[in-house]
Amino acid sequence: MPTIRSVKGRFSTKKPVERIHNFIESRRKVKTQPKKFSVSDIVLEDHPYFISSSLQTSSTLTKYPPETNKSYHEHDRDDLFNEYIPSDLVPLDHCRFLCELEYLASQLKSCIGCNKPLHLHDARGVRCYGVSGILYIVCHRPICGRLNKIKLGKTHYPGENKRGIGVFDVNTKIATGMIHSGIGGTQLSNFLSVLNIHSIDFKALKERENETGAAIEAQAEISEERYLQEEINQSFTEENGDTQTGISVSTDTCWQKKGSGRSYNSLSGVSTLIGTKTGKVVDHRLRISSCKICEKAKSKEMIPRIHQCRKNWSGSAKGMEPDMVVEMLKGLDDKDIVISQVVGDDDSTGFDRAKVLMPNSSMVKISDKNHIKHNIIKKVNDLKSKHRELSGMVAESIVKNVSYVLEQNIGNPEGIEKGFHATVNHMYGDHQYCTENWCGYLKNKHNYVHSNLPYGKDLSSASLKSDLEKLFIQQMVPQSDKLSKLGSSQANESVNNIIALKAPKTKHFSSSSSLNYRVSSAVLQKNEGYHYISELNTSIGLSPGNETIRRGSKLNLQRSKKKAKTQSKEWKKKRIFLKKKRAKRTVLSETKEGTTYQSSIGLQVDQKKDDIENIPDMPDDSHQVVTTDAPLVVFDLETTGLSRYSDITQIAACNVDRIFSRYIFPNQPISAEASRITGLTVVGNKMYHNGSLVPYKLPHEGLTDFLSYISEFKDKPILIGHNIKRFDCHVLFNTLSSLNMWNEFSSQISCFIDSLNLFKQVVPGLASYSQSFLVNNLLGQEYESHNAVHDARLLLKLITDKGNISNYLDDLAFSPNYPDQYHLQLCNLKTYSKVIKEKVISKAMALKAAKSNLKLCHLKMSIDRGGKMGLIALLSEKSVKTGDVRVTKNKKILQRIFDYFEKQ
């Protein structure tokens, strides 16, 4: 009987198969009969469909010739076993499978018994083989009833053994995709499970990974040999004829675990050798210090089973790099390949060890300019904590000047020496080492200012100058000969990045052969581009894949375009601009936030309280968006006086449909002037208007009614009033805030509009813009002023007939939170009274700073956190939407503020 596995892949101990059409029952009946029985008894009783297939005399004789030495009954048993339905089938709705539609359709064309088309709804289930499987379909024709095994995809035989159904192509391609995309078996299973696709058993996936991985390694080796030969061919010059001048290569190493200056304990490392002419990988090496199978056997005190052990290192992680470099260089030397230059960092002894083993080689070591620059940047940044004058801008200027020195003096050691002297002295106003081709001071001595130093002024710190001279003049100048001959290992860094994507540092692939496959995949991607996948499929015997080719072509095109783009002058300028922009944004953010992350910051006893306080952002300067469907509601207030903290005595509002009015009993006495104007008086607990008793409500009752009136509109209304931006809004804000009702009110309205500003734009040049003057002159009506209801009605008529307000909505609308923001500005402005009095800044400048949510203490905090650059970044911050400067970028004002706090 065929071996049957459960859904989990385990061998079943239960009865392996069940037979179609009550075959078990027929066998039971056969056992009750004598041993010698005829085939026709079985066929006619329970299996009539065999008449039209294998049990017909003519077809049986044709299929099983007499010379096979098998009895007819034995042939019958073999054919019956082909009709078994396995017990481990899963129903069609259990999960999804990956299938090849054209291949599936071709198999459904005809039944193996009757040559009639098959139907998917007759399927009994699917036997799972990874993400694909075999579909079991019983022919729907009663006269046939044959069981058909339909493969969901194509299969192949990876080895010499051609037995069984083979390996589904898609399972092998899944393993290739896993290596190429840089995910592991667990991540792959998680991804497939989310899509409800049947996943591959771990052991089967490992077999498929080994199958495709072996091909990847073979192709990578061929690719490296081809580009090595091309590198050799390009090393011949016309002057030397057939004499090889020697190839130039660059080398670098990456580890599969992050290390620091104190600890390097990665279990594996990868080193690459790249030809400088071709820019392609010509060799690579791995060092692996662990093997999962060996370690598991050792823990059980057993001899490891026969396997392809990848462990080849027992030393420290630091010792991997020189060993790999020596092996690669020695390998080239053994092939009689002349090496002229080796470009690499100065962090290992690999080159020196190789020279000892290759005494006849004339190769020279070239330092990598990127590592040199990074080391300089690190040393300059280390000085920041010691020198306050060494801000981010100054440090960036120093590194920029050093980069110019190195780039402009290739092969010129004397130029390197003068350049380092000029780098330090130029920033301190000493130009004896400068040259006219780059120093602006020598071109224009009277008007020169530094373009990349704060305020364009010379540096002044003597201690900083001493440390810079130690770094550049005492340490770097003696290395001028070496620094004038720098190379680049940027191509190796590119390969290291690809390897890091395929074998992430957070995952451990080096205890098996998986890391070797992934590194070889990275080599192929660097050398051959993304087409290597379709070529790999072809080498295994699989279809290259139309979508695989299309995607590869697209990515190769993107890569070539990006390469050409990154080499253009415009792109480099844009990159520098964006880098400066990010640096400014970082300084600003760190100044606002304070010290948020620092080693052991939580253990510092003297941590300042203001260092955990954020400097507030700019207020929202977004333009008030007004919808044309919002209803217009005119309102007016009568108060106990002319102060913004007066009590409301009457509130009225109206639109074209509804009118609202409430008298409100004040807590403050009504002033004589206000009583004369409004006609409102209070006697005891009664309220009168022009001597007549009026109904009133308490403040919280009357304003609750007003909120109810506002909330009844379908859309949030626009509140319009005359001179409300200076008076009414503030009175309303103070009253509602005291009752804890302001937030509810502001959320119910769309915006405010002051009709005073409206008519200044509609009818400019009038002698007055009071409401009474506008009513008399524009409407020609007599005006009974200072009755809230009458005022609101007349203002609505004035706006409707003469205001043409629809054309000015967007320009005049201001936020419901304006009174709140204005109140905050007044509180902020009070903190500047001392500096205004001492004429450090003007009142107008202080008001501008207060409007931008800044108190005086915030300016001091910016200096404490970021020095002068912190102050500049804060006050010159630009609005994202309007581009306006937050307060000022005037150098004199900024310097005056900085000097004031420095003296404190």
Side-chain angles (χ1 to χ4, degrees), residues 841-860:
I841 57 176
S842 64
K843 186 175 181 179
M845 190 61 62
L847 180 61
K848 190 175 182 181
K851 286 183 177 180
S852 69
N853 282 350
L854 292 177
K855 296 180 180 179
L856 186 65
C857 63
H858 295 144
L859 306 188
K860 184 178 184 303

Side-chain angles (χ1 to χ4, degrees), residues 158-401:
E160 297 180 357
N161 187 4
K162 308 298 182 182
R163 297 178 60 187
I165 64 170
V167 175
F168 281 90
D169 293 0
V170 67
N171 289 335
T172 302
K173 290 188 176 183
I174 281 279
T176 304
M178 179 182 69
I179 295 172
H180 174 68
S181 59
I183 61 175
T186 302
Q187 293 168 298
L188 176 64
S189 297
N190 292 342
F191 174 74
L192 294 176
S193 66
V194 172
L195 299 177
N196 197 29
I197 296 176
H198 192 274
S199 60
I200 309 176
D201 178 70
F202 177 79
K203 184 177 180 181
L205 180 62
K206 192 63 183 177
E207 292 176 357
R208 303 284 67 77
E209 184 184 23
N210 290 335
E211 175 193 354
T212 187
I216 291 175
E217 285 188 298
Q219 281 201 357
E221 186 176 349
I222 294 172
S223 176
E224 289 173 344
E225 287 292 337
R226 180 160 60 88
Y227 281 106
L228 175 60
Q229 187 59 48
E230 185 173 339
E231 187 74 27
I232 295 172
N233 294 339
Q234 293 189 23
S235 68
F236 290 93
T237 60
E238 294 181 1
E239 293 80 5
N240 297 321
D242 294 335
T243 304
Q244 183 185 355
T245 58
I247 65 172
S248 176
V249 293
S250 62
T251 180
D252 195 23
T253 300
C254 67
W255 285 267
Q256 276 59 61
K257 185 178 179 181
K258 292 181 179 179
S260 64
R262 296 181 300 274
S263 175
Y264 289 94
N265 56 358
S266 178
L267 296 176
S268 59
V270 182
S271 187
T272 54
L273 208 63
I274 294 182
T276 55
K277 297 285 186 181
T278 59
K280 304 295 184 180
V281 182
V282 297
D283 199 1
H284 77 275
R285 289 293 185 273
L286 283 85
R287 289 294 177 265
I288 298 174
S289 59
S290 69
C291 175
K292 186 186 298 182
I293 297 176
C294 294
E295 291 176 356
K296 188 175 181 180
K298 184 179 180 180
S299 64
K300 295 181 179 181
E301 298 182 353
M302 298 171 58
I303 299 176
R305 62 178 172 84
I306 298 176
H307 65 285
Q308 190 177 8
C309 184
R310 300 286 183 157
K311 180 178 178 180
N312 59 2
W313 184 250
S314 58
S316 67
K318 291 183 178 181
M320 292 179 181
E321 180 172 8
D323 191 69
M324 289 185 286
V325 171
V326 168
E327 184 178 343
M328 289 189 294
L329 296 178
K330 189 68 170 61
L332 295 180
D333 188 63
D334 292 340
K335 295 178 182 179
D336 295 330
I337 298 174
V338 181
I339 307 172
S340 60
Q341 294 179 346
V342 178
V343 181
D345 56 44
D346 300 308
D347 298 337
S348 75
T349 59
F351 178 80
D352 297 326
R353 292 171 183 250
K355 283 288 290 183
V356 173
L357 297 176
M358 303 159 56
N360 298 325
S361 176
S362 59
M363 63 180 179
V364 294
K365 172 69 183 300
I366 305 296
S367 297
D368 176 46
K369 60 183 178 182
N370 292 320
H371 281 81
I372 294 292
K373 290 179 182 178
H374 290 161
N375 290 334
I376 292 174
I377 292 172
K378 183 179 181 300
K379 291 179 179 179
V380 170
N381 288 333
D382 289 342
L383 297 175
K384 282 185 177 180
S385 59
K386 186 178 177 182
H387 303 283
R388 188 165 187 173
E389 192 176 26
L390 186 57
S391 62
M393 184 178 185
V394 175
E396 185 179 350
S397 175
I398 294 172
V399 173
K400 184 178 179 181
N401 292 340

Side-chain angles (χ1 to χ4, degrees), residues 583-629:
K584 289 181 180 179
R585 186 166 60 244
T586 300
V587 171
L588 176 62
S589 299
E590 291 179 350
T591 300
K592 287 183 177 180
E593 297 165 358
T595 306
T596 56
Y597 183 86
Q598 182 177 304
S599 179
S600 303
I601 189 173
L603 301 177
Q604 294 180 8
V605 180
D606 59 342
Q607 179 68 23
K608 297 179 182 179
K609 291 184 178 180
D610 60 354
D611 212 30
I612 60 176
E613 177 186 349
N614 277 12
I615 297 176
D617 294 325
M618 296 177 66
D620 185 12
D621 56 359
S622 58
H623 189 67
Q624 188 68 34
V625 179
V626 183
T627 59
T628 56
D629 297 332

Side-chain angles (χ1 to χ4, degrees), residues 126 347 524 555 721 744 827 899:
V126 180
D347 298 337
L524 285 173
L555 292 177
E744 181 183 356
C827 295
D899 292 340

